[in-house]
Amino acid sequence: MRGKVFAEVKTAVVGEVQENTKRSSQRPEQEVKMTNITYFSRMTDSQTFTELASGEIVRRRFFQAKQVGAVSDGAEWIQRFIDAHREDAVRILDFYHVRQYLSDIVTL
């Protein structure tokens, strides 16, 4: 809340996927993990956020990566964000939202 109005903070998380060599008892089937994680957050509109995040994207050598995966909730502004930085990214809908969307379909 900002004042008495809800405000949205947009966040981009950038990391590197590596083989998970130390399996935990909680997730023994987890084959990969994300390392070298950085966050970029701003309370602004999506277009400005996309422009401002460019610095972190370049710093992390995002454009040199052989392959990029983008996990999101499927929001349209996030799709535009991905298109602006790596149109070829593999888009992955997060589990929470998959479950929610499927639940909505089932109850129709």
Side-chain angles (χ1 to χ4, degrees):
M1 298 264 318
R2 186 174 196 190
K4 293 187 178 189
V5 178
F6 282 100
E8 180 180 66
V9 175
K10 293 166 179 52
T11 301
V13 181
V14 180
E16 300 170 17
V17 177
Q18 294 182 348
E19 180 181 1
N20 186 11
T21 56
K22 296 181 182 179
R23 306 285 170 101
S24 71
S25 58
Q26 297 158 331
R27 295 182 182 160
E29 72 287 345
Q30 184 177 349
E31 296 180 9
V32 296
K33 65 180 180 177
M34 198 159 86
T35 62
N36 299 323
I37 301 167
T38 57
Y39 300 86
F40 179 85
S41 297
R42 293 292 184 274
M43 187 171 15
T44 188
D45 62 273
S46 60
Q47 184 176 351
T48 303
F49 179 79
T50 299
E51 294 167 8
L52 293 173
S54 294
E56 182 63 9
I57 298 292
V58 169
R59 187 186 79 75
R60 289 301 307 271
R61 299 180 46 196
F62 200 70
F63 301 110
Q64 287 78 27
K66 291 179 184 177
Q67 189 171 25
V68 172
V71 180
S72 75
D73 65 6
E76 287 184 37
W77 79 266
I78 298 173
Q79 302 311 306
R80 289 190 300 272
F81 177 88
I82 297 166
D83 286 341
H85 295 294
R86 272 301 284 261
E87 195 172 297
D88 65 333
V90 175
R91 293 157 201 246
I92 304 165
L93 190 60
D94 70 75
F95 180 77
Y96 174 83
H97 286 89
V98 166
R99 191 178 75 202
Q100 179 184 349
Y101 298 147
L102 288 175
S103 176
D104 291 348
I105 291 170
V106 170
T107 58
L108 290 177

